[in-house]
Amino acid sequence: MQHPEYLPYSRKKKAILRRFILVMLVLFAAGLLIYQIPRVKRLVNYRLDIALTYLQKVVDPVSNLPTPSVKNASEMPLPAVSVTLEGDAGATPEPTITPMFTPTPTLVPTPIPAQLQLAPPAYDAVRDKQDLNNCGPATLALYLRYFGWKGDQYDISKLIKPSPDDRNVNVEELVYFVRTKTGWLNADYRVGGNIETLKRIISAGIPVMIETTYETDRDGWPNDGRWAGHYLLVTGFDDAARVFTVHDTEKGPNQRMDYDKLAEDWQSFNYVYIMVYLPENVDNLKRAIGENWDVETNRQNALELAQAEAEADPNNPFTWFNIGSNQVYFERYQEAAAAYDTARLIGLPQRMLRYQFGPYIAYFWTQQTDELIALTNHALKQVSRTSEEAMLWRGWAEYRLGNKEQAISYYRAALLVRPDYEDALWAIDFVNAN
């Protein structure tokens, strides 16, 4: 048998090619195995998402959030809503505030010390570092671990955020997980909080989770405003230093955050706060937040706070956005739409509607379908192409226009992002029945 070096050139070339293919197959198989390591998978997916998003935005540049087509809110028409989803949408009753909780002599206010640090939950730099767009589940996992829960962010996200492309988890979804999957814990959220609210809850022995503004450290696309939303877990405070202790699944545990900086970043999310607690501690929590335990009273207080802030700083778009969101709660859709118009005219961040969806609701019920389409287009084509909430409300816009098949296609697209999305399932049944 001839030695390989004496083989004809063509046979030698084929042998080299076979060896090259074999080496590539081995490297590919090894790469697949390495990719299964969670930390590697997270890093690769994160980098790939950044690269693909950037390239997409080079081809289709991101614009600012659309401004309202009617510049003067006083010129807006006041149509009656003809499509009824629940009750009589044409009438907007004034809210009746009936407190569910009335403090008694035994529920005195929680004393607030000048400094307090609750035991921080255990933090693992590998499993607790948030995965792509996963700060909600990651932060909630830390919160639950404070009470002895053994899971991690992936146990949460596979239920309420099954698609990695889902860019946002709402406070309602986080509360739903606690109420249905942890067994021995309960959860509630309120809005319109302040520095004293956080201190009172922590003084009652309960950490508190908030949603705030976050500035990314790099551009996601050309002309990126770098504004995003982010969850934090607050476990301590120090009045002398005027700092909170916060746990940040992006930056790490036990971060120190200035009171004023936290309040400034918190405003853009209506000062929302999530409280996870043992049922036997509910009275301590009621003492901590007082009349805000009642949801209706809490929303009215939040609305009055937003109105006062807008009066003090009328060029702040977040104050007007918060007015709109609180008015949506009370089904005062025309007033809410006008407030959202003002916020949009002042200027909102590009990613704003990745996280909050009150404008969709307000413009739908005031029959401003063009505005609803403009905003959902912005969300789906430029900022959050896989937002199930934007898909849902784009479906309702199509329904308004009489395009039932197109509406259902959007609802089904929302279900591809989250298969158990009840609002989309209900919408399909509604449209099919009408």
Side-chain angles (χ1 to χ4, degrees):
M1 183 175 180
Q2 285 184 306
H3 193 276
E5 67 178 329
Y6 299 114
L7 290 174
Y9 177 75
S10 61
R11 294 178 63 188
K12 186 185 295 186
K13 186 176 181 180
K14 289 179 181 178
I16 294 173
L17 180 61
R18 284 195 297 269
R19 289 172 189 163
F20 176 78
I21 293 173
L22 180 61
V23 170
M24 289 298 100
L25 289 174
V26 170
L27 291 175
F28 180 74
L32 284 179
L33 289 175
I34 295 172
Y35 178 73
Q36 301 310 312
I37 300 172
R39 189 173 184 178
V40 173
K41 190 173 186 178
R42 180 178 68 230
L43 181 61
V44 171
N45 287 348
Y46 178 70
R47 296 300 181 186
L48 183 60
D49 182 81
I50 288 175
L52 291 177
T53 299
Y54 194 92
L55 288 174
Q56 180 193 18
K57 305 313 179 189
V58 169
V59 176
D60 185 13
V62 174
S63 63
N64 292 328
L65 197 74
T67 55
S69 57
V70 180
K71 301 302 182 187
N72 186 345
S74 65
E75 297 175 6
M76 291 170 55
L78 301 173
V81 178
S82 59
V83 177
T84 301
L85 299 183
E86 293 183 11
D88 181 6
T92 306
E94 290 296 315
T96 301
I97 301 174
T98 306
M100 297 169 57
F101 163 65
T102 302
T104 66
T106 59
L107 294 177
V108 296
T110 302
I112 303 178
Q115 180 182 14
L116 179 63
Q117 177 61 62
L118 301 178
Y123 182 89
D124 184 288
V126 175
R127 72 169 181 163
D128 293 324
K129 172 77 171 178
Q130 70 178 64
D131 205 342
L132 183 63
N133 299 308
N134 215 46
C135 68
T139 307
L140 183 62
L142 285 179
Y143 200 167
L144 296 178
R145 197 170 302 148
Y146 177 83
F147 296 97
W149 190 68
K150 302 300 183 182
D152 60 25
Q153 60 179 303
Y154 303 103
D155 296 309
I156 299 173
S157 61
K158 70 183 179 183
L159 175 68
I160 61 176
K161 186 180 174 291
S163 171
D165 288 333
D166 188 351
R167 306 300 174 110
N168 174 63
V169 174
N170 303 327
V171 293
E172 294 90 347
E173 293 170 324
L174 296 169
V175 167
Y176 169 81
F177 181 88
V178 177
R179 290 179 175 178
T180 60
K181 299 300 178 181
T182 61
W184 74 99
L185 294 170
N186 203 351
D188 286 286
Y189 79 90
R190 299 292 185 269
V191 294
N194 56 36
I195 299 303
E196 294 304 307
T197 302
L198 299 182
K199 290 165 58 178
R200 285 196 299 271
I201 295 172
I202 294 169
S203 297
I206 302 170
V208 59
M209 183 172 168
I210 62 175
E211 189 170 13
T212 70
T213 289
Y214 180 81
E215 184 175 342
T216 62
D217 59 0
R218 62 179 62 87
D219 288 342
W221 47 72
N223 301 314
D224 185 1
R226 294 193 177 187
W227 184 98
H230 192 53
Y231 286 101
L232 298 172
L233 180 64
V234 189
T235 60
F237 61 88
D238 183 343
D239 283 345
R242 289 187 56 78
V243 295
F244 284 106
T245 301
V246 303
H247 303 271
D248 186 329
T249 56
E250 179 62 32
K251 296 180 178 179
N254 299 308
Q255 303 284 319
R256 289 163 65 86
M257 192 168 187
D258 178 77
Y259 284 179
D260 295 332
K261 175 61 174 171
L262 183 143
E264 178 185 351
D265 290 350
W266 194 17
Q267 182 189 52
S268 54
F269 286 89
N270 205 16
Y271 303 107
V272 66
Y273 53 102
I274 301 173
M275 304 160 288
V276 176
Y277 56 95
L278 295 165
E280 56 265 33
N281 286 343
V282 66
D283 285 345
N284 289 336
L285 190 55
K286 289 179 178 180
R287 277 192 290 265
I289 66 174
E291 66 177 6
N292 285 297
W293 181 254
D294 171 55
V295 178
E296 298 283 306
T297 302
N298 171 250
R299 279 289 177 172
Q300 183 62 34
N301 289 342
L303 175 58
E304 292 173 3
L305 171 63
Q307 290 169 331
E309 289 184 332
E311 183 176 352
D313 186 8
N315 292 318
N316 183 335
F318 299 125
T319 64
W320 293 100
F321 195 96
N322 291 342
I323 289 173
S325 297
N326 292 314
Q327 287 170 330
V328 163
Y329 175 84
F330 290 118
E331 300 182 0
R332 291 157 56 175
Y333 300 121
Q334 196 68 56
E335 295 170 78
Y340 288 134
D341 280 346
T342 303
R344 291 167 61 196
L345 286 170
I346 296 170
L348 289 166
Q350 293 172 341
R351 292 178 176 87
M352 190 70 179
L353 299 185
R354 174 181 287 185
Y355 309 103
Q356 301 187 69
F357 317 107
Y360 299 154
I361 301 170
Y363 293 129
F364 173 83
W365 285 113
T366 55
Q367 295 197 49
Q368 297 183 68
T369 307
D370 289 346
E371 299 294 342
L372 180 54
I373 290 175
L375 292 183
T376 52
N377 274 348
H378 176 79
L380 294 174
K381 291 184 177 180
Q382 297 195 316
V383 179
S384 299
R385 58 188 179 275
T386 53
S387 167
E388 70 268 31
E389 296 88 358
M391 291 170 178
L392 172 78
W393 287 101
R394 179 56 187 271
W396 284 122
E398 295 295 338
Y399 178 80
R400 278 280 195 210
L401 297 173
N403 304 325
K404 291 186 177 183
E405 291 185 6
Q406 189 70 9
I408 290 176
S409 72
Y410 276 106
Y411 303 146
R412 288 176 176 162
L415 291 172
L416 292 177
V417 180
R418 185 176 173 189
D420 65 343
Y421 189 23
E422 291 185 1
D423 289 351
L425 292 168
W426 186 89
I428 290 173
D429 290 341
F430 177 89
V431 172
N432 281 331
N434 291 275

